[in-house]
Amino acid sequence: GAGVSQSPSNKVTEKGKDVELRCDPISGHTALYWYRQSLGQGLEFLIYFQGNSAPDKSGLPSDRFSAERTGGSVSTLTIQRTQQEDSAVYLCASSLTGEGETQYFGPGTRLLVL
Amino acid sequence: GENVEQHPSTLSVQEGDSAVIKCTYSDSASNYFPWYKQELGKRPQLIIDIRSNVGEKKDQRIAVTLNKTAKHFSLHITETQPEDSAVYFCAASPNNAGNMLTFGGGTRLMVKP
């Protein structure tokens, strides 16, 4: 079946602009995660959605970052007033539930802030 | 919160040799430990995982061991092949924290033919 998909695959923006990144999880997966991977680094947790519960935003690095998940499926990560340090690959993952289940990653969106 | 340390950061082995990557974690509540393989420009893919109710798990040439007392776990790859070359990430997660993963910094494995 279809895996996790993300769009766009690449995004180049100017400092100060807002960007929106989209994630389509695997159908039926109730848990959705956003991670950030800076060049040559590990993955850093950003935010977690589980069903209709309030999201866990504990990993968001600043209030310029926000995310929503509509209808329990598609999620959008928004970065306002982008900074050069926001340049990274943003990875989305989904799992069947939020309890010790395998997380399947999307291909990521490579964001470059000039 | 959880902190995961991973060593070595780079590892070069000859084809056919074994490779071992080690991780330590800080949160004793962590009980799920996956390993991901990431090839250049690709998404991370799960290769094996272990839960805290077992000490070892094996899948063909790949095995993972877990020592909960010492809070460390290791990935073992035997009979390495050039296609094993990639970056490997360990991660840890406490189930009661919604399963978000805390990742190690990664190990770049190079298998020389």
Side-chain angles (χ1 to χ4, degrees):
Chain A
V4 179
S5 61
Q6 293 185 244
S7 61
S9 54
N10 291 279
K11 176 71 177 179
V12 181
T13 190
E14 294 179 346
K15 178 182 172 181
K17 295 285 179 69
D18 297 352
V19 295
E20 284 189 353
L21 313 178
R22 176 188 169 107
C23 171
D24 283 85
I26 294 172
S27 178
H29 280 196
T30 63
L32 186 149
Y33 308 81
W34 283 96
Y35 294 89
R36 177 170 70 174
Q37 185 173 31
S38 300
L39 187 63
Q41 303 296 313
L43 286 78
E44 172 191 8
F45 165 75
L46 297 177
I47 189 169
Y48 159 63
F49 296 89
Q50 172 57 56
N52 295 320
S53 302
D56 182 334
K57 306 178 183 179
S58 60
L60 295 178
S62 79
D63 59 8
R64 296 186 296 105
F65 288 72
S66 63
E68 62 178 24
R69 188 178 185 192
T70 54
S73 181
V74 172
S75 178
T76 301
L77 176 69
T78 301
I79 309 174
Q80 296 178 308
R81 305 181 302 281
T82 52
Q83 303 294 313
Q84 289 182 330
E85 59 263 29
D86 299 335
S87 296
V89 177
Y90 289 82
L91 290 156
C92 173
S94 72
S95 66
L96 190 59
T97 70
E99 300 177 6
E101 295 281 346
T102 300
Q103 292 185 27
Y104 297 90
F105 281 85
T109 294
R110 186 174 301 275
L111 174 67
L112 178 61
V113 182
L114 301 176
Chain B
E2 176 67 280
N3 181 53
V4 178
E5 300 283 340
Q6 183 171 346
H7 299 281
S9 56
T10 60
L11 179 59
S12 181
V13 300
Q14 206 67 38
E15 181 178 1
D17 287 351
S18 295
V20 180
I21 302 171
K22 299 182 178 182
C23 289
T24 60
Y25 62 99
S26 62
D27 189 346
S28 57
S30 287
N31 55 11
Y32 174 62
F33 307 92
W35 286 87
Y36 284 85
K37 175 183 180 182
Q38 187 175 33
E39 297 176 7
L40 189 62
K42 301 286 184 63
R43 71 188 76 189
Q45 296 207 313
L46 181 77
I47 56 171
I48 196 168
D49 58 13
I50 191 168
R51 288 174 172 76
S52 59
N53 55 344
V54 297
E56 184 173 0
K57 184 176 178 180
K58 189 173 182 181
D59 182 3
Q60 299 183 336
R61 296 187 296 109
I62 295 172
V64 58
T65 59
L66 171 65
N67 184 327
K68 284 218 72 177
T69 302
K71 288 191 271 188
H72 68 71
F73 56 114
S74 301
L75 178 72
H76 305 251
I77 306 174
T78 59
E79 300 171 27
T80 53
Q81 301 166 4
E83 51 265 38
D84 294 330
S85 297
V87 179
Y88 291 80
F89 292 98
C90 64
S93 171
N95 264 6
N96 61 1
N99 198 35
M100 76 272 292
L101 298 172
T102 300
F103 283 85
T107 296
R108 181 174 301 278
L109 174 64
M110 294 170 283
V111 180
K112 295 179 286 186

